[in-house]
Amino acid sequence: MGFDLFVIPFTAGLAFLLVWFLYKTVEWLSHLNRVDRTMLRRGVISSKTVRSVKEVILESLLHRKIFRTNPLLGYMHMSLAFGWFLLIVAGNVEAMIFKPATIHPPYYPIFFRFFEPEAAGFPGAKAFEFIMDFLLVFILSGVALALFKRIRSRALGMKKTTRLLWYDRLALYSLWCIFPFRLLAESITSGIYQTGGIVTGSLGNILAGLIPLQSFEYPAWWAYSLALGLFFVALPFSRYMHIPTEVVLIFLRNYGIHTRNSYSSYSEIEVYSCSRCGICIDPCPMSEAAGIQNIQSVYMIRNIRYKTPDEEVNDNCLMCGRCNIACPVGIVTTDLRAIARNERHLSGNLHLTIPATSSPHHDVIYFAGCMGQLTPAVTQSMETILQQAGEDYLFLDKEESICCGRPLALAGRIAEAKQLMEINRDKILSSGARTLVTSCPICYKVFREDYHLPINVMHHTQYLHRLLMQGRIRLRSQNISLAYHDPCELGRGSGIYEEPRQILRLAGNLLPTASEKEKSICCGGSLGNTVLNQKKRHAITEYSLESLTINNPDTIVTSCPLCKKTFAQRSDRPVLDIAEVVKSAIFRDKDNIRIRENYQIPAEEFSS
Amino acid sequence: MINWQFTLHPDHTINLDTNDRTLARLLEEKEPTSRICMACGSCGGTCTAAQFEPVSFRHILLMVRRGETESVRSELTKCMYCGKCTLVCPRGVNTRHILALLRTMLIN
Ligand code: SF4
Ligand code: SF4
Ligand code: SF4
Ligand code: SF4
């Protein structure tokens, strides 16, 4: 086994990287809070670990999710990650077969061709020559695509690609150099000794006719080792830190750990796991429709990582969550952004005296929300339906309505939001109701997640669905074509997709749209953004409408009063709330109309 | 006395030459729509907070533009950012942005 000075850059770089990553991992794990640590301990010895290993292979090596976004981009990531991984594995196996019974230093398999230029005759030598060459070409094809992407990203299905910082540049350029240098070094050595596989062997022969190989061999191996060493040293400070960190992220996520209300160890792991791939840029309606290119999650996360907070970036986001769905790493970017907003410590008091009132007893509370107040058609429809169903209900915020607190929380004013939440909570609980129905998805999300109410919280889509299921109201189908818009907070935010669709299929003819369910595009009205002006909002609204009207529906239906109001300003056709649709389709016994056979939703559709 | 359903304000001079309009100018820079308010009052009419105490976005903006900033401090801490005022404004004034900016600039 040999040693040569040129292995030092590689070996030192690798050692540095390993020590650094180990240090980081220990730091992260030891800073997990108590709850997270318990989850970690419980998770390790469960099937979740197996699941994590599988996910690491599928995502960190094969990059399956990127494949789904765009096959060519997926191939690029896979060839680099999986190809390199295989090259290391195959190199080690080769070295082991060639010299069994010795423990090799880590550089030996990497520079195998240099140390054993005439290695032949061991079992599978020919096959290894071929495999190593094949893998090298596989990786090089990925490098070529990466170069191409920098120049022309649209070809890889991305309209915008990320801007680079200098550490990234250093790491990127050294990464690009590694494999061409390896090809060169191996070819030169092969040329000298007349060995090598199809690629390195033939390239070696060609080079032999062009340059004096002997004098180029040593510098070529030095260059290869230097490129590797430089990449390893730059890695922890560059976006490539995502490679090792994503593995940790996958395990912890599978153990059930996630980002909560404050910046935790896990949040930091999420931040480091962002590869700055930029896949979150194109789905962002701010970028696509409003032409705002600097606020996307990739930049927001980069600011957190390099501690360069930018309020404008943090605030100018719709919090629509479209980037969460797109992110191949599975980073919940909106949670990180919410924390970044809170970090400003805009603590304060809401100096508003709201008289405490207790509510009379009723079974169901109906809460319209501020946006509901602005759409009387929605609240009136809900009241009609509630009466039709014979419900004993209380319209809690008919008078003296109070905001649910989520807009304040989204603006980073948690303390003030809590004040409102306390008042609303008392009002709700004092009525003794068992069910709270709200028309506004913004209220729904905060009631369900932050109020910790011991009663059943429902959005009106769920409630209407339940009324239909119980047969307390019946619908007659109308001859009208509908397109349904999933509000951000109800769809991506709360996972409610099926109930509204099942209801609408009963009431009319539901047409598909261009961006269904989790791909739904924000209406532009979002209260999560305090910065965006009306003009840009209109651009987003029109962009969303374009996707909704692709099949030319008679009416657009949504289930959020804010979406309804926002769309109505720009739409060329009626925009209704699902409550209005249900109200107008309700079948009363005195209506002498033939109703469709399946006026009730079949029971099996409710099993979920 | 006859109740005319309105009262007269006491004498009050607004001297735009001596009032300090720095804040108003800064605001115009950061949110140009602060210039296009036509003082219709729709925002105050719909305001969630106004059900409990006298709060009006129209009043806040008017005072800031006149340079009478002090009088709006307390009003700013009553807003819930509910967004009703933005939705009803016929002029497209970005009310929540203005409220948030003023709040951070004047209080925190
Ligand atoms: S947040 Fe996700 S999608 Fe966006 S750059 Fe980071 S890894 Fe890529
Ligand atoms: S949450 Fe929506 S608006 Fe904000 S960055 Fe993500 S996609 Fe863009
Ligand atoms: S609604 Fe708009 S235009 Fe009218 S007073 Fe308020 S901000 Fe001004
Ligand atoms: S955002 Fe503030 S000022 Fe505007 S309506 Fe709501 S509480 Fe009133």
Side-chain angles (χ1 to χ4, degrees), chain B residues 51-104:
Chain B
Q51 301 169 103
F52 307 100
E53 284 183 44
V55 181
S56 161
F57 175 79
R58 182 190 71 93
H59 179 246
I60 295 173
L61 187 58
L62 189 66
M63 289 300 150
V64 170
R65 290 177 72 195
R66 279 182 187 168
E68 304 196 333
T69 313
E70 280 317 302
S71 59
V72 302
R73 260 176 212 277
S74 69
E75 238 174 298
L76 284 171
T77 56
K78 300 184 197 302
C79 168
M80 312 183 198
Y81 291 164
C82 71
K84 282 171 90 176
C85 47
T86 314
L87 281 173
V88 299
C89 175
R91 297 282 289 155
V93 176
N94 201 355
T95 60
R96 290 199 328 142
H97 192 209
I98 293 170
L99 288 162
L101 283 171
L102 287 176
R103 174 101 201 241
T104 345

Side-chain angles (χ1 to χ4, degrees), chain A residues 346-347 350-353 370-371 373-374 400-401 403 407-408 413 416 527 529-534 562, chain B residues 31 46 48-49 51-53 77-84 86-88 92 94 96-97 100 103-104 108:
Chain A
L346 292 175
S347 57
L350 196 67
H351 292 289
L352 189 66
T353 327
C370 300
M371 294 299 125
Q373 310 287 336
L374 288 181
E400 302 212 329
S401 66
C403 175
L408 275 169
R413 297 191 174 273
E416 286 140 279
L527 288 182
N529 189 327
T530 43
V531 180
L532 200 64
N533 66 34
Q534 293 304 318
L562 176 54
Chain B
E31 182 48 70
T46 194
T48 308
Q51 301 169 103
F52 307 100
E53 284 183 44
T77 56
K78 300 184 197 302
C79 168
M80 312 183 198
Y81 291 164
C82 71
K84 282 171 90 176
T86 314
L87 281 173
V88 299
N94 201 355
R96 290 199 328 142
H97 192 209
R103 174 101 201 241
T104 345
N108 92 330

Side-chain angles (χ1 to χ4, degrees), chain A residues 43 132 239 306 422:
Chain A
M132 299 301 275
R239 61 196 182 124
Y306 296 113
E422 276 310 310

Side-chain angles (χ1 to χ4, degrees), chain A residues 280 283-286 295-297 317-324 333-334 337:
Chain A
C280 52
C284 175
M286 294 286 285
I295 60 90
Q296 283 69 25
S297 296
C317 156
L318 305 161
M319 299 296 261
C320 70
R322 228 169 163 240
C323 47
N324 293 348
T333 66
T334 39
R337 199 185 290 262

Side-chain angles (χ1 to χ4, degrees), chain A residues 190-253:
Chain A
S190 304
I192 295 172
Y193 296 91
Q194 293 299 310
T195 53
I198 312 169
V199 181
T200 46
S202 355
L203 188 61
N205 283 335
I206 297 169
L207 288 175
L210 300 174
I211 48 169
L213 291 185
Q214 237 81 8
S215 47
F216 277 93
E217 186 191 18
Y218 203 48
W221 286 102
W222 260 102
Y224 175 39
S225 173
L226 271 171
L228 279 167
L230 211 56
F231 178 65
F232 291 153
V233 172
L235 185 143
F237 312 103
S238 74
R239 61 196 182 124
Y240 296 100
M241 186 65 176
H242 82 90
I243 302 169
T245 315
E246 193 188 342
V247 177
V248 182
L249 177 84
I250 290 174
F251 278 90
L252 296 187
R253 182 171 55 216

